Amino acid sequence: MKQSYHYLIVGGGIIGSSIAMALSEQGATKIGVVDCDLTGKWGSSERNAGGVRASWGTQVNIDLSKASIAFYESVSTEVGFQQKGYLWLYEASAWPQVLKRTDLQREAGLNVELLSPGMITQKFPFLDRLEDIHGATFSPQDGLINPNLLKEYYRSHTSGSKVDWIDHQVIESITVDAGVHSIQTREVQSESEVEAFLVSGALPDEQRLTRIKAKVLINAAGCWAPQLAEMYGKEIPSKPLRRQVVVMHCQALDLSDFGMMVDASGLYFHHEAGNILAGYAVSSEKPGYAFEYEGQDYFMKEIWPRLVKRSSGFERLKLIGGWAGLYAVSPDKSAIIGAVSGLDNVYEAHSFSGHGVMQSYAVGRGLAELILKGQYQSLDLGGLSGERFTQGDLIEETLDI
Ligand SMILES: Cc1cc2nc3c(=O)[nH]c(=O)nc-3n(C[C@H](O)[C@H](O)[C@H](O)COP(=O)(O)OP(=O)(O)OC[C@H]3O[C@@H](n4cnc5c(N)ncnc54)[C@H](O)[C@@H]3O)c2cc1C
């Protein structure tokens, strides 16, 4: 490990990795990425559902995903991107808002079809219980990606300049002296120390200290970004929220021809390597670094009843496994990206509220432009700056799951 960098990214998840690739592609040198666990065992990038869609309810979220999708299309084999579409089912009460959003999406150049219940059954014959469904949207260019392959793609495409991937270091403190950030880290030596830090905030042994200097610091620490921000005296208004997913086997149905399906209840599901992956956000979930997976109880209470309400094919399902991961949720469910106000050379990209994988490419490219060229060039992401929460200029995203 070098002791000094021009650009130091904290967090080597999908966002930090994308920023590293973009910085190097745009000509930056002396880039370091520091993480307490580069395998990302507890990070959100290894625990998500792999959904990719441009069909959002706000312009900037549409733009970020649309630009990212154009990139994923160009490397689809390497990152396992399959454009099999997103289907969203809606009850009648939601329909006026669906029509408004569809107008916005179509104006942004997206192909979004409106389906009646009869058309839904034609395209998705296994959905044979649609009595309470008024209609659906179907966006064929959306789909599913392999997040691990995408992260590895970013990490391995930094040929413009070598990036140092600094593993097993947690950030303990940050100080600024004459425009240079001095980052004190402690080494973690075991998986249990990583877990203790990321789940309970416990720092490893204070004997194992390192000091890294950086001219530019980038906070890409996912759900842990608020703790990092505290070290440079800033508050981030986001919260970590547990989200669980299950993997099931269904003998009666093969969903491999279909992409992501989102029920009117908020349940989502898709084919996953011969099985079915499904998730549902429980609204009573309390913020915190909670990773407990509730297995059969969660499946029986939240998943199976919602699936069986839509298809007789789901009457017999075998639960195979599942896991819990964290969403970093901002107050308006849109990401926080940009320069940190009031500080020189500190940038941030976090709080993706469940859409970090699908937007990662355009976020990395945009932030690298801002850092290296002083302004966004390909897409204006200025509205996503953290200052919007003090200025009251929120980007309320309503199409979250
Ligand atoms: C169940 C679930 C389903 C999801 N489904 C989707 C989906 O379908 N599509 C989609 O686009 N998104 C989805 N998401 C969201 C997506 O996974 C996240 O938005 C994205 O992974 C965020 O990436 P990140 O790099 O910001 O964070 P992370 O991957 O969490 O990376 C942050 C890294 O920072 C490191 N770190 C933090 N603090 C420190 C510190 N002080 N010192 C050293 N290292 C530190 C951590 O070890 C971690 O590796 C889902 C998330 C979950 C949990």
Side-chain angles (χ1 to χ4, degrees), residues 357-377:
V357 173
M358 63 183 89
Q359 299 184 330
S360 56
Y361 174 75
V363 168
R365 184 184 64 178
L367 197 65
E369 289 166 358
L370 184 68
I371 294 169
L372 298 175
K373 292 154 190 158
Q375 57 184 17
Y376 291 116
Q377 296 192 317

Side-chain angles (χ1 to χ4, degrees), residues 10-16 34-37 40 43-45 47-51 169-171 197-198 220-222 224 228 243 245 260 268 325-327 352 354-358:
V10 180
I14 206 148
I15 297 298
V34 60
D35 201 302
C36 55
D37 175 26
S44 309
S45 302
R47 291 173 179 251
N48 63 79
Q169 300 288 331
V170 306
I171 312 300
F197 174 67
L198 291 178
W224 298 272
L228 198 75
R243 294 286 182 252
V245 292
M260 182 75 94
Y268 63 84
L326 300 176
Y327 269 29
F352 284 86
H355 28 118
V357 173
M358 63 183 89

